Amino acid sequence: QPLPGESVSAASPLPTRTGGAPPPSTDAGNPCPSTAVQHSFDISAAREPNGSNASRYVYVPTSKVANVLAGTLHPEPLVMHVRVGDCVTVNFWNQTKTSVGFHLSGLDSGVASSGVDVGWNPSTTVADGQRQTYRYYVGDPSLAGGVIGDLAGLDTAKGGLYGAYTVEPKGSVSTDSKTGAKTDVGSAVDVSVPGGQSYRDFTLAMADDERQLGSSFMPYPINAEKPTSDVVKLQAGPARREFGQRVQLRSVR
């Protein structure tokens, strides 16, 4: 019941309870204004045939997924580069042999692009072999970036299904720091900013499977256990250092 002196508009009736799963979403929604710049990505989730416990699953550009499934490519975590004012459309394909989702945390989106299966909302997770479209708007110029994650699987994030995105200035162009080719994915890119200072952008993804601090119970634990795996860029081992370049540092939590 509304509070005294308050009125509420009529709401849509709840779906009829059937005992089954909510119907899947049929539309990605549109959080973008008409002035937004369209920016599309083709992304797949795949299961690596030779991956370790910490790298069984990966997000990867769909153009490279066949090599991942064939065992000829061991990719690093996905890093996407978007720009302020972009309307980001992700055409997502699941090839993991389990149900997963996709979510860019921190960007504007609607329920239809949440990447989860919760309550009465339409399911926006993706069964194995199926496809889904997600849409986001990059409207906050103060946002430096965020995390890419699977909010549907039970252990896929611990198994490598994660990544990050960075937000670049409006109108900028990113190129591969080694080849110079235009790109909107990759952990090392050069960003050219019209009328501004250009920079080189590095993104480093690290993960471990420490169980104690990663748990959710009270009282909160204060002592960490020794993790059974530590990975940097989905690889076990030290990261190579490169010096002599101007670096813009980002911290994404």
Side-chain angles (χ1 to χ4, degrees):
Q1 296 294 327
L3 294 174
E6 298 292 334
S7 61
V8 295
S9 59
S12 301
L14 292 175
T16 302
R17 185 184 297 273
T18 64
S25 173
T26 58
D27 190 318
N30 186 16
C32 309
S34 60
T35 56
V37 177
Q38 300 299 316
H39 192 171
S40 295
F41 293 83
D42 294 325
I43 303 296
S44 290
R47 183 162 185 162
E48 284 204 70
N50 303 315
S52 66
N53 285 341
S55 60
R56 296 191 306 276
Y57 306 98
V58 290
Y59 287 126
V60 65
T62 298
S63 61
K64 299 181 179 179
V65 71
N67 293 334
V68 173
L69 296 175
T72 59
L73 174 65
H74 181 75
E76 61 187 17
L78 176 67
V79 181
M80 299 167 55
H81 300 279
V82 300
R83 291 173 284 274
V84 175
D86 279 0
C87 184
V88 179
T89 298
V90 178
N91 303 306
F92 182 71
W93 188 14
N94 178 16
Q95 301 190 66
T96 62
K97 301 188 183 302
T98 187
S99 180
V100 300
F102 183 92
H103 186 69
L104 298 177
S105 63
L107 298 183
D108 295 341
S109 65
V111 170
S113 289
S114 59
V116 296
D117 183 4
V118 176
W120 292 100
N121 293 337
S123 174
T124 55
T125 59
V126 188
D128 179 49
Q130 300 301 306
R131 301 173 186 262
Q132 181 86 16
T133 299
Y134 300 100
R135 188 166 291 116
Y136 310 87
Y137 176 56
V138 189
D140 184 357
S142 67
L143 183 65
V147 175
I148 304 171
D150 172 27
L151 305 181
L154 294 177
D155 63 351
T156 51
K158 291 183 178 180
L161 204 56
Y162 56 82
Y165 69 89
T166 69
V167 177
E168 299 166 357
K170 188 172 184 177
S172 61
V173 177
S174 56
T175 56
D176 187 284
S177 61
K178 293 182 179 179
T179 67
K182 283 187 177 182
T183 185
D184 51 13
V185 296
S187 61
V189 298
D190 295 332
V191 182
S192 299
V193 183
Q197 184 173 11
S198 300
Y199 60 92
R200 177 162 289 180
D201 192 307
F202 289 103
T203 302
L204 180 64
M206 298 177 288
D208 63 56
D209 63 351
E210 197 284 324
R211 297 176 300 173
Q212 185 76 353
L213 295 183
S215 301
S216 178
F217 56 83
M218 296 291 289
Y220 291 133
I222 59 175
N223 297 315
E225 296 180 353
K226 182 179 180 180
T228 59
S229 71
D230 296 280
V231 292
V232 178
K233 297 173 66 174
L234 293 180
Q235 302 280 351
R240 184 181 65 175
R241 296 183 178 181
E242 296 184 5
F243 297 94
Q245 300 291 342
R246 181 180 180 87
V247 178
Q248 174 164 314
L249 298 179
R250 298 172 182 265
S251 176
V252 177
R253 298 181 181 272

